[in-house]
Amino acid sequence: MNIKIIADSSSNLHRVEGNAIDTVPLKIVTDEREFCDDASLNVDEMLSYMQSYSGRSGTSCPNVGEWLDAFGDAEAVFTVSITSGLSGCHNAAQQAAHMYLGEHPDRKTCCLDTLSTGPEMVLIVEKLQELIARGLDFDKIKRKIHRYMESTHLLFMLERMDNLANNGRVSPLIAKAAGLLGIRVVGSASDKGTLHQEHKCRGEKKALGAMLKSMIDRGYEGGKVRIAHCANVKAAVEMSALIREVYPNADVQLHECGGLCCFYAEQGGLLLGYEA
Ligand code: X90
């Protein structure tokens, strides 16, 4: 059975070297321009445009038709989407799957609501790839991936949260703290797939330390880590070094954020997915 994995572009997978699985793009829209979050998007250009633009901006997720197109004629499909707590993406994927099965009752689909985004989605996709490569059948993969998703988590460090607040994804009160000079908000994806603020740190160094502490408190013991950064490779490298001081053999990989994550995490933002 040929099993296809399709993730939305908030996973940044179209920017992860060596892992070009199918992604469906979200869009970033302003009154003047529209950015499609695919491999051809120039993220740096988008960021500098956003810095000089002061009007309204927002995002939209792929619609049912776009998901359906991505299904192609695969015999079986796993969709991996950004948290349903913040986006309609998973809902659209589910509707697409429903239509797909209506047309092809012999096929199989499983829509995963990651209750997360970015690098935690990368971990989930990598696990799916591993399970498919082992030749397991669809239902077994489905059971195993759900269990795996209980062991993955997401942390973030943000310098600004204006776009999150302006689009109603976080309370203006929390966003205000992030806007203060030198303050970094460190938080995690909650069980419901929404933003949970854990710390307000003065300076990046303290924020990275707080992230490591939060991982260890949650039971991190040297498992896989994926770090995505928005124009902040320095922090990503430092974070990875901090982890390796404690767990020298940890499998830590870094990559850049695509358009959607950069829009919301903003310049300097860091997202970290880990197993614990
Ligand atoms: O449907 C849409 O238009 C997409 C909306 C996405 C909204 C949030 C994206 C967050 C990206 C920011 C920090 C991580 C928070 C994770 C909480 C689950 C990254």
Side-chain angles (χ1 to χ4, degrees):
M1 184 174 252
N2 94 60
I3 304 179
K4 187 169 183 178
I5 306 169
I6 310 166
D8 68 61
S9 67
S10 75
S11 63
N12 306 310
L13 271 155
H14 53 301
R15 312 244 158 210
V16 176
E17 225 173 293
N19 197 339
I21 65 143
D22 285 57
T23 50
V24 285
L26 286 99
K27 291 189 183 80
I28 297 92
V29 274
T30 74
D31 289 338
E32 301 164 345
R33 288 183 67 179
E34 180 176 293
F35 302 88
C36 180
D37 188 18
D38 58 21
S40 70
L41 174 67
N42 182 337
V43 176
D44 291 336
E45 195 267 327
M46 184 190 91
L47 284 173
S48 58
Y49 165 79
M50 285 295 172
Q51 254 168 3
S52 61
Y53 173 80
S54 54
R56 281 180 305 179
S57 56
T59 56
S60 68
C61 65
N63 61 32
V64 180
E66 285 161 335
W67 276 108
L68 214 46
D69 284 346
F71 283 24
D73 52 13
E75 290 170 281
V77 176
F78 278 95
T79 66
V80 183
S81 38
I82 183 170
T83 171
S84 64
L86 299 173
S87 170
C89 204
H90 173 66
N91 190 268
Q94 276 184 315
Q95 286 183 48
H98 186 73
M99 285 172 71
Y100 196 65
L101 292 177
E103 276 172 39
H104 314 282
D106 53 319
R107 298 188 180 173
K108 286 180 181 287
T109 61
C110 170
C111 297
L112 300 170
D113 176 1
T114 63
L115 297 175
S116 182
T117 188
E120 187 176 353
M121 290 171 75
V122 173
L123 288 173
I124 293 165
V125 166
E126 286 178 355
K127 178 58 81 178
L128 279 173
Q129 288 173 319
E130 187 187 309
L131 297 170
I132 292 169
R134 275 167 59 190
L136 302 183
D137 72 53
F138 192 84
D139 295 317
K140 190 147 195 182
I141 297 177
K142 209 167 134 177
R143 276 198 303 278
K144 283 188 179 284
I145 199 67
H146 278 111
R147 204 169 318 137
Y148 179 70
M149 284 164 68
E150 285 165 23
S151 71
T152 59
H153 312 284
L154 182 82
L155 290 171
F156 54 83
M157 172 188 81
L158 303 174
E159 225 173 293
R160 305 194 66 86
M161 299 172 91
D162 296 336
N163 289 338
L164 281 165
N166 290 339
N167 286 284
R169 260 75 185 198
V170 79
S171 92
L173 210 69
I174 293 180
K176 216 168 167 188
L180 301 176
L181 198 68
I183 297 294
R184 306 283 185 284
V185 167
V186 170
S188 55
S190 73
D191 295 345
K192 294 190 183 70
T194 52
L195 276 90
H196 169 68
Q197 181 196 304
E198 293 188 1
H199 307 279
K200 283 181 272 183
C201 301
R202 195 164 291 279
E204 199 161 83
K205 223 182 162 70
K206 284 196 185 131
L208 299 178
M211 286 174 94
L212 180 64
K213 183 171 183 307
S214 173
M215 288 167 73
I216 290 170
D217 287 350
R218 195 132 190 201
Y220 178 72
E221 286 181 325
K224 273 163 85 172
V225 179
R226 298 292 176 262
I227 303 174
H229 67 89
C230 174
N232 197 354
V233 66
K234 184 172 159 281
V237 168
E238 273 174 34
M239 189 66 218
S240 136
L242 275 184
I243 297 166
R244 289 220 176 97
E245 267 172 34
V246 191
Y247 293 100
N249 299 320
D251 169 7
V252 184
Q253 287 176 28
L254 320 179
H255 57 265
E256 288 173 5
C257 286
L260 191 277
C261 282
C262 271
F263 176 75
Y264 284 109
E266 302 195 40
Q267 201 113 25
L270 204 70
L271 305 178
L272 182 152
Y274 66 101
E275 296 177 341

